[in-house]
Each structure stands twice: as C-alpha cells, then as structure tokens.
Amino acid sequence: MRTRIRSLTQTGAAALCATLAIVGASGRASAAKITSFDPSGSDGTYAYAVNDGGAITGYYFDSARNYHGFLRAKDGTITSFDVSGASETYPNSINSKGVIAGYFQGQTLQEGFVRATDGTITTFYDTGATIPVGINDKGAVTGSWQDASGHWHGFVRASGGSITSFDPTGAVSSYPFGINDKGVIAGEYIDSNNVYHGFVRTKKGTITSFDPQGAVYTSPFGLNDKGVVVGCYADSKDVFHGFLRGADGSITSFDVSGSTGTFAVSIDSRGAVTGYYTVFGGGYHGFERAANGTIKTFDPPNSTYTRPQSIAGEDEAAGYYSDTSGVYHGFLRR
C-alpha cells in the first residue's frame, strides 16, 4: 500500500496520528445511506476525494500489485486511468470541474500530475520528488517537494504551470494539505525541535503559524472557501482532538463522545466536517459533524476500519474501509 504525503517520511501527520491513537470498538450506526464500490479488477480500493458534483477519485491495486487511479462519476460509473508508463498512479484531489491532481512513481522519484476532464494528463515536478495533494476550481495545485537533503517544502502550481515554493518561518519541512478557491493554503510544518505546527498561507504569500491551546502537535488536513481549517492536535497526554480554525483565527476544539482520539480531515462549504475517531477495543470509525456541532458516527456494513477522507456537496462523505476479510473498499455516504 502506498503512503500519502502525510506519512511519506514516516513522521507525517497521518502516520503519527495512527501511531499514537488508541483504537476502538464499532461506532453508532446512522440513518444515512452508505454505498460501497470497487473498480473492476480491484484487490483493494482507496477513495480520497469527492467533489460538489458527487464525483470521487482515488486509487486501487490489482492482483499484480499495480496501482491505478480511478474516477467514479455520480451515477456510479467508474473509469480507471494511469499516467503513461507508470505502474503506480495515485490521485489525491478533485475539483468541482472534475480535474484531478495527484502523483505517480516515475523512473527515479515521485512526480505530480493533473488530469483534465477529457482525460488528458499533464505531468510535472519541482527539483525533487513532488507530491500534489490539493487542487482548487481555478486549477491551482498545492503539495510538497523534497530537496536533496530529504527535507520537504510547500509549493503552489498555477493553472498555467508556474511553480512557487514556500516554507513557514522556522520550518525544517513543510506539508500543505489543501487549497481553496481563494488560493488560501493550509498545512503543517516541522520546526527544528521536531514539533509540528499548523499554518495558513494567503494567495499573496503571507504565512501565519498557529496551534490550538494546549497542543504539542498540530496537523491541519483541509479547509473550505470561507477559510475555515480543520485538523487534529495532540495534547500533553498524547490524546488527539479535532479542531476548527475560523478565518479570524479563532479555534474550536471538539471530540466524538466516548472517543479516545478524534481526527477531523475535511470540511465542506456548508461547514460540515468528516473524519474518524477511536475508542478502546477496535478499529477506526467515521463521523460527520454538522455546522451546528451535532456529531453523527457511522461505519459501512461489515467494516472493521473506516477512514473518511473528504466531504463536499450536500454533505457527501467519501473514503475507504476494510471488511472482515481485510479487503479495502471505497464508500460514499449520503
């Protein structure tokens, strides 16, 4: 199974969250409809992003352990695709127009790609390994690239192809996770003391660092067009909590009731948040937090491990789960 930018160095946010969290029992069922899906020939499916039109992208692997990208249309039709010549293609993000950004394994390093709605794929890279993780409706892409010393830096690629590299002040490595239609980017960075902090970068390049009160580790995962950022942070007892950071800088912490760890990963334009949580005795479970703060928990049928990754449109959440046989499938929750 491939690793995303968040765990590529084995010290990124998702890897650390998974390591420190205590896992737990099944979440409470909700009345929402959950649809499971797999591309033809899949031996494991991982859905990573859904757009406002209900289209989903992600990747799957086949019996030969080759990794392919897919696009699932709102009507359920699934199209498989690959970057030409690549045995590993990993989509990470899709905008409302259906344009997809991700990365693939090149001959010597990871390279970025953008797939247009007609299927045309454009590849690109900075001076080192390049991992795009977000694309907005204007076609701007953000992610990280790796230098010769092994450190990661943020980048934003304009729709015309020009790339700008950036880092928050004091950063040793930087990991952007999302970009909104106003060009605002959110992500995390590591300082010289190996401490993780959140950051927000405006379209003009101004970067603001932040941490929730009491945080010893901060990891933003997504943002919406209103500039609200969501993510997780760890307190001094290594307990993880979800947070929302408003455009005015105010931060609200929250937890799924009875959980031992709460991880917010995506927020839509209506303010609904999705993510996962843990409790004693079992695996990961999904949740959706409405804009008014009400939280509903969920798992697909027969799931032992549920990982929502994205929410959009009419509060449609997409992600992946593992069944009782250990096989991963994509899901859409309406």
Side-chain angles (χ1 to χ4, degrees), residues 244-295:
L244 294 93
R245 180 186 185 274
D248 61 358
S250 61
I251 296 177
T252 301
S253 175
F254 68 91
D255 296 282
V256 176
S257 179
S259 68
T260 57
T262 299
F263 310 88
V265 299
S266 182
I267 183 169
D268 67 15
S269 59
R270 297 151 59 102
V273 175
T274 196
Y276 55 95
Y277 71 99
T278 58
V279 294
F280 286 107
Y284 290 78
H285 312 284
F287 75 83
E288 181 177 323
R289 181 184 188 273
N292 65 6
T294 303
I295 295 177

Coordinates of all heavy atoms in Angstrom, one line a residue, residues 244-295:
L244 N -11.5 23.2 14.6 CA -11.8 24.1 13.5 C -11.2 25.4 13.8 O -11.3 25.9 14.9 CB -13.3 24.3 13.4 CG -14.2 23.1 13.0 CD1 -14.7 22.4 14.2 CD2 -15.3 23.5 12.1
R245 N -10.5 26.0 12.8 CA -9.9 27.3 13.0 C -10.6 28.2 12.0 O -10.6 28.0 10.8 CB -8.4 27.3 12.6 CG -7.8 28.7 12.8 CD -6.3 28.7 12.3 NE -5.6 29.9 12.5 CZ -5.6 31.0 11.6 NH1 -6.3 30.9 10.5 NH2 -5.0 32.1 11.9
G246 N -11.3 29.3 12.5 CA -12.0 30.2 11.7 C -11.1 31.1 10.9 O -9.9 31.2 11.2
A247 N -11.6 31.8 9.9 CA -10.8 32.7 9.1 C -10.3 33.9 10.0 O -9.3 34.5 9.7 CB -11.6 33.3 8.0
D248 N -10.9 34.1 11.1 CA -10.5 35.2 12.0 C -9.4 34.7 13.0 O -9.0 35.4 13.9 CB -11.7 35.7 12.8 CG -12.4 34.7 13.7 OD1 -12.0 33.5 13.7 OD2 -13.4 35.1 14.4
G249 N -9.1 33.4 12.9 CA -8.0 32.8 13.8 C -8.6 32.2 15.0 O -7.8 31.5 15.8
S250 N -9.9 32.3 15.3 CA -10.4 31.6 16.5 C -10.4 30.1 16.3 O -10.7 29.6 15.2 CB -11.9 32.1 16.7 OG -12.7 31.8 15.6
I251 N -10.2 29.3 17.3 CA -10.1 27.9 17.2 C -11.0 27.2 18.2 O -11.1 27.5 19.4 CB -8.6 27.4 17.6 CG1 -7.6 28.0 16.5 CG2 -8.5 25.9 17.6 CD1 -6.2 27.6 16.8
T252 N -11.8 26.2 17.6 CA -12.7 25.5 18.4 C -12.3 24.0 18.4 O -12.1 23.4 17.4 CB -14.2 25.5 17.8 OG1 -14.6 26.9 17.8 CG2 -15.2 24.7 18.6
S253 N -12.2 23.4 19.6 CA -11.8 22.0 19.8 C -13.0 21.2 20.0 O -14.0 21.7 20.5 CB -10.9 21.9 21.0 OG -10.6 20.5 21.2
F254 N -13.0 20.0 19.5 CA -14.2 19.1 19.7 C -13.7 17.6 19.7 O -12.6 17.3 19.2 CB -15.3 19.3 18.6 CG -14.9 18.9 17.3 CD1 -15.1 17.6 16.8 CD2 -14.3 19.8 16.4 CE1 -14.8 17.2 15.5 CE2 -13.9 19.4 15.1 CZ -14.2 18.1 14.7
D255 N -14.6 16.8 20.3 CA -14.3 15.3 20.3 C -15.6 14.6 20.1 O -16.7 15.0 20.5 CB -13.8 14.9 21.7 CG -12.4 15.5 22.0 OD1 -11.4 15.0 21.5 OD2 -12.4 16.5 22.7
V256 N -15.5 13.4 19.5 CA -16.6 12.5 19.4 C -16.8 11.9 20.8 O -15.9 11.5 21.5 CB -16.4 11.3 18.4 CG1 -17.5 10.3 18.4 CG2 -16.2 11.9 17.0
S257 N -18.1 11.9 21.3 CA -18.4 11.5 22.7 C -17.9 10.0 22.9 O -18.2 9.2 22.1 CB -19.9 11.5 22.9 OG -20.2 11.1 24.2
G258 N -17.1 9.8 24.0 CA -16.7 8.5 24.3 C -15.4 8.0 23.5 O -14.9 6.9 23.7
S259 N -14.9 8.9 22.7 CA -13.7 8.5 21.9 C -12.4 8.7 22.7 O -12.3 9.4 23.6 CB -13.6 9.4 20.6 OG -13.3 10.7 20.9
T260 N -11.4 8.0 22.2 CA -10.0 8.1 22.8 C -9.2 9.0 21.8 O -8.0 9.2 22.2 CB -9.4 6.8 23.0 OG1 -9.4 6.0 21.7 CG2 -10.1 5.9 24.0
G261 N -9.7 9.3 20.7 CA -9.0 10.2 19.7 C -9.9 10.6 18.6 O -10.7 9.8 18.1
T262 N -9.9 11.9 18.3 CA -10.8 12.4 17.2 C -9.9 13.1 16.2 O -9.1 14.0 16.5 CB -11.8 13.4 17.8 OG1 -12.6 12.8 18.8 CG2 -12.7 14.0 16.8
F263 N -10.1 12.8 14.9 CA -9.3 13.3 13.8 C -10.2 13.9 12.7 O -10.8 13.1 12.0 CB -8.4 12.2 13.3 CG -7.7 11.4 14.3 CD1 -8.3 10.3 15.0 CD2 -6.4 11.8 14.7 CE1 -7.6 9.6 16.0 CE2 -5.8 11.1 15.7 CZ -6.3 10.0 16.4
A264 N -10.3 15.2 12.6 CA -11.1 15.8 11.6 C -10.2 16.0 10.3 O -9.0 16.4 10.4 CB -11.5 17.2 12.0
V265 N -10.7 15.6 9.2 CA -9.9 15.6 7.9 C -10.4 16.5 6.8 O -9.7 16.8 5.9 CB -9.7 14.2 7.4 CG1 -9.0 13.3 8.5 CG2 -11.0 13.5 7.0
S266 N -11.7 16.8 6.8 CA -12.2 17.6 5.7 C -13.5 18.4 6.1 O -14.2 18.0 7.0 CB -12.6 16.6 4.5 OG -13.1 17.3 3.4
I267 N -13.7 19.5 5.4 CA -14.8 20.4 5.7 C -15.4 20.9 4.4 O -14.7 21.2 3.4 CB -14.4 21.6 6.6 CG1 -15.6 22.5 6.9 CG2 -13.3 22.4 6.0 CD1 -15.4 23.5 8.0
D268 N -16.7 20.9 4.3 CA -17.3 21.4 3.0 C -17.8 22.8 3.1 O -17.6 23.5 4.2 CB -18.5 20.4 2.6 CG -19.7 20.5 3.5 OD1 -19.8 21.4 4.3 OD2 -20.5 19.6 3.4
S269 N -18.4 23.3 2.1 CA -18.8 24.7 2.0 C -19.9 25.1 3.0 O -20.1 26.2 3.4 CB -19.2 25.1 0.6 OG -20.4 24.3 0.2
R270 N -20.7 24.1 3.5 CA -21.7 24.3 4.4 C -21.3 24.2 5.9 O -22.0 24.5 6.8 CB -22.8 23.2 4.2 CG -23.5 23.3 2.9 CD -24.0 21.9 2.4 NE -24.9 21.3 3.3 CZ -26.3 21.3 3.1 NH1 -26.8 21.9 2.0 NH2 -27.1 20.7 3.9
G271 N -20.0 23.9 6.0 CA -19.4 23.8 7.4 C -19.5 22.4 8.0 O -19.1 22.2 9.2
A272 N -20.0 21.4 7.2 CA -20.0 20.0 7.7 C -18.6 19.5 7.7 O -17.8 19.7 6.7 CB -20.9 19.2 6.9
V273 N -18.2 18.7 8.7 CA -16.9 18.1 8.8 C -16.9 16.6 8.9 O -17.9 16.0 9.5 CB -16.2 18.6 10.2 CG1 -14.8 18.0 10.4 CG2 -16.0 20.1 10.1
T274 N -16.0 15.9 8.2 CA -15.9 14.5 8.4 C -14.5 14.1 8.9 O -13.6 14.9 8.8 CB -16.2 13.8 7.1 OG1 -16.5 12.4 7.4 CG2 -15.1 13.8 6.1
G275 N -14.4 12.9 9.4 CA -13.2 12.4 9.9 C -13.4 11.1 10.6 O -14.4 10.4 10.3
Y276 N -12.5 10.7 11.4 CA -12.6 9.4 12.1 C -12.2 9.5 13.5 O -11.6 10.5 14.0 CB -11.7 8.4 11.4 CG -10.2 8.7 11.3 CD1 -9.3 8.3 12.2 CD2 -9.7 9.5 10.2 CE1 -7.9 8.7 12.1 CE2 -8.4 9.9 10.1 CZ -7.5 9.4 11.1 OH -6.2 9.8 11.0
Y277 N -12.6 8.5 14.3 CA -12.3 8.5 15.8 C -12.0 7.1 16.2 O -12.2 6.1 15.5 CB -13.5 9.1 16.5 CG -14.7 8.2 16.6 CD1 -15.0 7.4 17.7 CD2 -15.6 8.1 15.5 CE1 -16.0 6.5 17.7 CE2 -16.7 7.3 15.5 CZ -16.9 6.5 16.6 OH -18.0 5.6 16.7
T278 N -11.4 7.0 17.4 CA -11.1 5.8 18.0 C -11.6 5.6 19.4 O -11.9 6.6 20.1 CB -9.5 5.6 18.1 OG1 -9.0 6.7 18.9 CG2 -8.9 5.7 16.7
V279 N -11.9 4.4 19.8 CA -12.3 4.0 21.2 C -11.6 2.7 21.5 O -11.0 2.1 20.7 CB -13.8 3.9 21.3 CG1 -14.6 5.2 21.1 CG2 -14.4 2.8 20.4
F280 N -11.7 2.4 22.8 CA -11.0 1.2 23.2 C -11.5 -0.1 22.6 O -12.8 -0.2 22.4 CB -11.1 1.0 24.7 CG -10.2 1.9 25.5 CD1 -10.8 3.0 26.2 CD2 -8.8 1.8 25.5 CE1 -10.0 3.9 26.9 CE2 -8.0 2.6 26.2 CZ -8.6 3.7 26.9
G281 N -10.7 -1.0 22.1 CA -11.0 -2.3 21.7 C -11.3 -2.6 20.3 O -11.6 -3.8 19.9
G282 N -11.1 -1.7 19.3 CA -11.4 -2.0 17.9 C -10.7 -1.1 17.0 O -9.6 -0.5 17.3
G283 N -11.3 -0.9 15.8 CA -10.6 -0.1 14.7 C -11.1 1.4 14.7 O -11.6 1.9 15.6
Y284 N -10.8 2.0 13.5 CA -11.2 3.4 13.3 C -12.7 3.4 12.8 O -13.2 2.5 12.1 CB -10.3 4.0 12.2 CG -8.9 4.2 12.6 CD1 -8.0 3.1 12.6 CD2 -8.5 5.5 12.9 CE1 -6.7 3.4 13.0 CE2 -7.2 5.7 13.3 CZ -6.3 4.6 13.3 OH -5.0 4.9 13.7
H285 N -13.4 4.5 13.1 CA -14.8 4.7 12.8 C -15.0 6.1 12.3 O -14.3 7.0 12.7 CB -15.7 4.4 14.0 CG -15.3 3.1 14.7 ND1 -15.6 1.9 14.2 CD2 -14.6 2.9 15.8 CE1 -15.2 1.0 15.0 NE2 -14.5 1.6 16.0
G286 N -16.0 6.3 11.4 CA -16.3 7.5 10.8 C -17.2 8.4 11.6 O -18.0 7.9 12.4
F287 N -17.1 9.7 11.4 CA -18.1 10.7 12.0 C -18.3 11.8 11.0 O -17.5 12.1 10.1 CB -17.6 11.2 13.3 CG -16.5 12.3 13.2 CD1 -16.8 13.6 13.0 CD2 -15.2 11.9 13.4 CE1 -15.8 14.6 12.9 CE2 -14.2 12.9 13.3 CZ -14.5 14.2 13.1
E288 N -19.5 12.4 11.2 CA -19.8 13.7 10.5 C -20.3 14.7 11.5 O -21.2 14.4 12.3 CB -20.8 13.5 9.4 CG -21.1 14.8 8.6 CD -22.1 14.6 7.5 OE1 -22.1 13.6 6.8 OE2 -23.0 15.5 7.3
R289 N -19.7 15.8 11.5 CA -20.1 16.9 12.4 C -20.7 18.0 11.6 O -20.2 18.6 10.7 CB -18.8 17.5 13.1 CG -19.1 18.6 14.1 CD -17.8 19.1 14.7 NE -18.0 20.1 15.8 CZ -18.2 21.4 15.7 NH1 -18.2 21.9 14.5 NH2 -18.3 22.2 16.7
A290 N -22.0 18.3 12.0 CA -22.8 19.3 11.3 C -22.3 20.7 11.7 O -21.5 20.8 12.7 CB -24.3 19.2 11.6
A291 N -22.6 21.7 10.9 CA -22.2 23.1 11.2 C -22.6 23.5 12.6 O -22.0 24.4 13.2 CB -22.7 24.0 10.1
N292 N -23.7 23.0 13.1 CA -24.2 23.4 14.4 C -23.5 22.6 15.5 O -23.8 22.8 16.7 CB -25.7 23.2 14.5 CG -26.2 21.8 14.4 OD1 -25.4 20.8 14.4 ND2 -27.5 21.6 14.4
G293 N -22.6 21.7 15.2 CA -21.8 21.0 16.2 C -22.3 19.6 16.5 O -21.7 18.8 17.2
T294 N -23.5 19.2 16.0 CA -24.0 17.9 16.2 C -23.2 16.8 15.5 O -22.8 17.0 14.3 CB -25.5 17.8 15.7 OG1 -26.3 18.8 16.3 CG2 -26.0 16.4 15.9
I295 N -22.8 15.8 16.2 CA -22.0 14.7 15.6 C -22.7 13.4 15.4 O -23.4 12.9 16.4 CB -20.7 14.5 16.5 CG1 -19.9 15.8 16.5 CG2 -19.9 13.3 16.0 CD1 -18.6 15.7 17.4

